[in-house]
Amino acid sequence: MTQALTPDALPVLAEVSDQALAETLAETGLRYSTDTRRGLTRRRHDLFQYLDEAGQRHTVSSSAINVYLREISGFDFTAKDYRTWAGSVHALAGLRTLSFATEAEGKRNIVAMVKDTARLLRNTPAVCRRCYIHPDLLNAYAAGRLANLPRPKRISGLKNDEALLLDFLRPATPAQQSAAA
């Protein structure tokens, strides 16, 4: 049976560290840890764990995380959606700064950015490209359409690169389509 994830257990999800064992203390005094060294060889649903007041170890399943995200957001979001958002924001920010003169150079830049994004997300480049970078970003970059994106409108709660991605992903209005033609 999957237990719902409580806000007190969330610090383990936000903890990102290059150390083999990253620990943080929640306000409740519970100790949370994630073993990033063994996490790659262990089943994904066992990656996040916490110790209760009695010292008993409990796993936090991906299902519990996704239930919690749906409950707090009110939308059908999963952890994968957040990873895709992070990967796409990172790729857009990087690709916008990379110019290219030939198609081959553009492809090399895409490969390098996918690898960089994969390192950020701690995944393989193939999985990252397929699952965590919006494909329209890579297509737009290859077509030379990312370098001159308009400056995004400031959106409360979003960083500039996040607002830029949101603008990029929004469908063009009829007026914008006419102006581009």
Side-chain angles (χ1 to χ4, degrees):
M1 177 173 175
T2 301
Q3 254 184 332
L5 183 62
T6 65
D8 295 331
L10 199 55
V12 71
L13 304 179
E15 183 68 35
V16 177
S17 174
D18 290 333
Q19 297 174 350
L21 187 62
E23 294 185 308
T24 187
L25 190 62
E27 290 179 10
T28 61
L30 297 177
R31 198 175 92 205
Y32 301 90
S33 68
T34 176
D35 187 340
T36 57
R37 180 187 61 233
R38 292 187 335 189
L40 297 176
T41 58
R42 298 171 66 191
R43 296 180 62 123
R44 285 182 178 255
H45 65 270
D46 290 341
L47 182 60
F48 296 112
Q49 301 179 8
Y50 69 94
L51 299 177
D52 65 16
E53 297 85 6
Q56 289 287 110
R57 185 176 300 273
H58 300 275
T59 61
V60 180
S61 71
S62 58
S63 297
I65 293 167
N66 290 334
V67 166
Y68 176 73
L69 292 173
R70 286 182 189 109
E71 287 175 2
I72 65 166
S73 71
F75 295 99
D76 192 21
F77 289 130
T78 65
K80 182 182 183 297
D81 294 309
Y82 286 95
R83 287 177 61 82
T84 301
W85 178 256
S88 295
V89 167
H90 182 77
L92 174 60
L95 288 172
R96 287 191 67 227
T97 65
L98 300 173
S99 60
F100 60 95
T102 66
E103 185 178 333
E105 186 180 2
K107 287 180 180 181
R108 282 192 300 272
N109 288 347
I110 288 173
V111 168
M113 184 49 57
V114 168
K115 286 180 180 179
D116 188 55
T117 304
R119 275 190 296 276
L120 173 75
L121 297 177
R122 293 192 168 115
N123 217 313
T124 66
V127 169
C128 186
R129 183 178 187 136
R130 187 175 63 249
C131 300
Y132 298 119
I133 298 175
H134 197 288
D136 289 351
L137 287 176
L138 303 179
N139 295 335
Y141 176 76
R145 295 192 316 263
L146 291 187
N148 297 320
L149 288 177
R151 187 180 181 116
K153 287 183 274 180
R154 190 77 182 120
I155 300 173
S156 179
L158 294 183
K159 296 176 183 172
N160 285 338
D161 290 332
E162 292 173 325
L164 186 62
L165 178 62
L166 188 60
D167 282 351
F168 174 82
L169 294 175
R170 282 188 178 138
T173 65
Q176 291 169 325
Q177 290 173 347
S178 296

